[in-house]
Amino acid sequence: MLKMTLKSALAVAVIICSASLFAAEVTVSAAASLTNAFKDIAENFEAAHPEHKVLLNFAGSGELLQQIAKGAPVDVFASADQETMDKAQAQGLLNDSSRKDFVQNSLVVITPTNSTLALSTLEDLQQPALQRLAISNPDSVPVGRYSKQALLDSQLWEALAEKMINTQNVRQSLDYVARDEVDAGFVYATDAAIMADKVKVQFTVPLKTAVSYPIAVTKEGSAKALSQQFIDYVFSSESQAVLNQYGFSQP
């Protein structure tokens, strides 16, 4: 009987130790363009706080907003634009006081590395040799909205409509260009940088609105101190260095 009691006590101790291995988890939904940087930041955060776990979810900002609105258990939301975060705030999905801008990006047009196209302006996208142009869905993806607005401002949106290949997010546009499945595409400069061996930047697209990224604790995440702790870590010098390494700039 004593032997069984000791075994039971040992089993309980093991369970307690296993449970305390991760004292808390924080679920972070972030724009697809943040994938590489946030993976590194999450790894660094866990190394600094081994008792905690960061769960990452990446997609287009609009898709992430829909997930949160439908009740997905998300603690921290990082969007690639202000409009999507504004919608989240208007729907009462955020802890408003936690919202801050943490990085900026730029919009570029890229082609496969072996492309013979010479592009320096948006007007050059009208070249007959350019038949397929990857652009993310402007109704739900920030990079698509930035791209569409730039084309509208240049009165090229309708002229290029037949060439457009819609993608679900910026990483899909990047992949299409890298695999030479399209002739050119709109992506962020940071995305182009991670595939510099497969794509080349033709030019930076002039924009009237800066590509700034906000981050905030969700209403659900407000119950966890860890949510704000992760955001604070994103603003740390270590994390900002990681973001800078991937081509992001400070707001």
Side-chain angles (χ1 to χ4, degrees):
M1 184 69 177
L2 179 60
K3 187 176 182 180
M4 291 299 295
T5 301
L6 289 174
K7 283 186 176 181
S8 299
L10 181 59
V12 170
V14 170
I15 293 172
I16 292 173
C17 288
S18 298
S20 64
L21 183 59
F22 296 121
E25 293 181 342
V26 59
T27 300
V28 179
S29 282
S33 52
L34 291 165
T35 300
N36 297 72
F38 265 37
K39 283 183 177 179
D40 286 358
I41 289 172
E43 183 177 336
N44 294 341
F45 182 85
E46 290 177 352
H49 306 280
E51 72 278 16
H52 298 317
K53 179 70 174 177
V54 180
L55 305 177
L56 297 171
N57 175 40
F58 299 106
S61 297
E63 181 181 344
L64 295 175
L65 173 58
Q66 291 179 9
Q67 293 172 2
I68 296 170
K70 291 178 181 178
V74 176
D75 303 309
V76 174
F77 179 36
S79 170
D81 69 334
Q82 300 296 329
E83 183 176 334
T84 302
M85 194 65 80
D86 288 344
K87 290 179 180 178
Q89 192 166 340
Q91 294 176 43
L93 301 175
L94 305 178
N95 176 334
D96 295 346
S97 63
S98 68
R99 177 177 175 174
K100 294 180 180 178
D101 297 342
F102 67 104
V103 285
Q104 288 189 349
N105 212 335
S106 56
L107 180 67
V108 298
V109 168
I110 60 172
T111 58
T113 52
N114 61 356
S115 174
T116 58
L117 288 171
L119 310 172
S120 58
T121 67
L122 290 171
E123 286 72 19
D124 292 338
L125 299 176
Q126 299 178 94
Q127 293 181 28
L130 197 161
Q131 293 293 313
R132 299 161 298 173
L133 177 64
I135 180 170
S136 296
N137 184 353
D139 294 329
S140 60
V141 185
V143 70
R145 279 196 289 274
Y146 292 123
S147 304
K148 180 178 180 178
Q149 190 57 56
L151 292 174
L152 285 172
D153 291 342
S154 300
Q155 299 183 343
L156 292 170
W157 178 252
E158 292 185 5
L160 295 172
E162 293 185 358
K163 298 184 178 186
M164 295 179 189
I165 306 296
N166 285 331
T167 65
Q168 295 180 344
N169 55 59
V170 69
R171 287 303 172 89
Q172 189 173 49
S173 292
L174 178 65
D175 287 341
Y176 280 4
V177 177
R179 295 197 299 262
D180 205 6
E181 294 177 1
V182 296
D183 301 307
F186 288 94
V187 301
Y188 294 123
T190 53
D191 296 293
I194 65 173
M195 285 196 178
D197 59 328
K198 296 181 179 179
V199 305
K200 59 182 174 182
V201 175
Q202 293 282 350
F203 64 92
T204 299
V205 180
L207 296 173
K208 294 180 179 178
T209 304
V211 181
S212 59
Y213 288 54
I215 190 169
V217 175
T218 65
K219 279 292 186 183
E220 176 162 328
S222 297
K224 296 181 181 179
L226 187 57
S227 301
Q228 186 60 52
Q229 186 179 354
F230 180 80
I231 288 182
D232 291 342
Y233 188 75
V234 169
F235 281 89
S236 69
S237 58
E238 294 85 357
S239 296
Q240 288 295 311
V242 170
L243 289 160
N244 182 258
Q245 174 188 336
Y246 283 102
F248 293 96
S249 58
Q250 292 187 347

